[in-house]
Amino acid sequence: MLPLREPAARPVATFRQMLERIRYEGAYPTQERAEDVTRAVLMALGRQLTGDERVDLAACLPREAARIFADQIPAQPLTGWGFVKELAARTEATTATVRWDTGAVLTVIGDLAGPSLLDRILTQLPPGYALLFGRAELTQTV
């Protein structure tokens, strides 16, 4: 018997509505700026996530966002800080700006994914992503 999967979170109705949420979260002056940031973060995340979590997250996103995310080829896994630094180098932005942008986009993506899928995503990714998704990063002391 196949394990039952929790149904994917219902995506926002459209890519534009998702961008509007990201524009609000990031306090961007225009939807165009929110779209540029969203595309960059989705592409970077698409290079990090693999397996069932990748497929399930794509199913939670509006079609255009899913395509941007899924078109990326997974690469060498990066820590959360490495993710920010690599994205800053690609976009020629400061790490502070990219940290803000990443938080705005990934908070909305995490909401679309829902808590169960987000837990699975954070378990798969190297340390440092929880804060980028707007969650506390809990670690055990040795």
Side-chain angles (χ1 to χ4, degrees), residues 32-93:
E32 290 76 24
R33 175 68 179 132
E35 183 171 352
D36 291 344
V37 166
T38 300
R39 286 179 181 280
V41 173
L42 281 170
M43 289 189 305
L45 185 61
R47 291 188 293 273
Q48 294 301 304
L49 204 55
T50 61
D52 289 341
E53 290 76 18
R54 179 183 179 91
V55 172
D56 293 346
L57 180 58
C60 295
L61 299 173
R63 191 169 288 136
E64 187 174 346
R67 199 171 306 123
I68 295 164
F69 168 74
D71 281 350
Q72 306 309 304
I73 298 170
Q76 180 70 30
L78 299 170
T79 64
W81 178 238
F83 179 87
V84 169
K85 288 192 318 187
E86 195 255 350
L87 187 53
R90 283 183 184 266
T91 60
E92 299 179 353

Side-chain angles (χ1 to χ4, degrees), residues 87-115:
L87 187 53
R90 283 183 184 266
T91 60
E92 299 179 353
T94 67
T95 54
T97 298
V98 170
R99 170 60 186 92
W100 178 269
D101 294 343
T102 301
V105 174
L106 293 183
T107 297
V108 172
I109 289 174
D111 288 346
L112 294 173

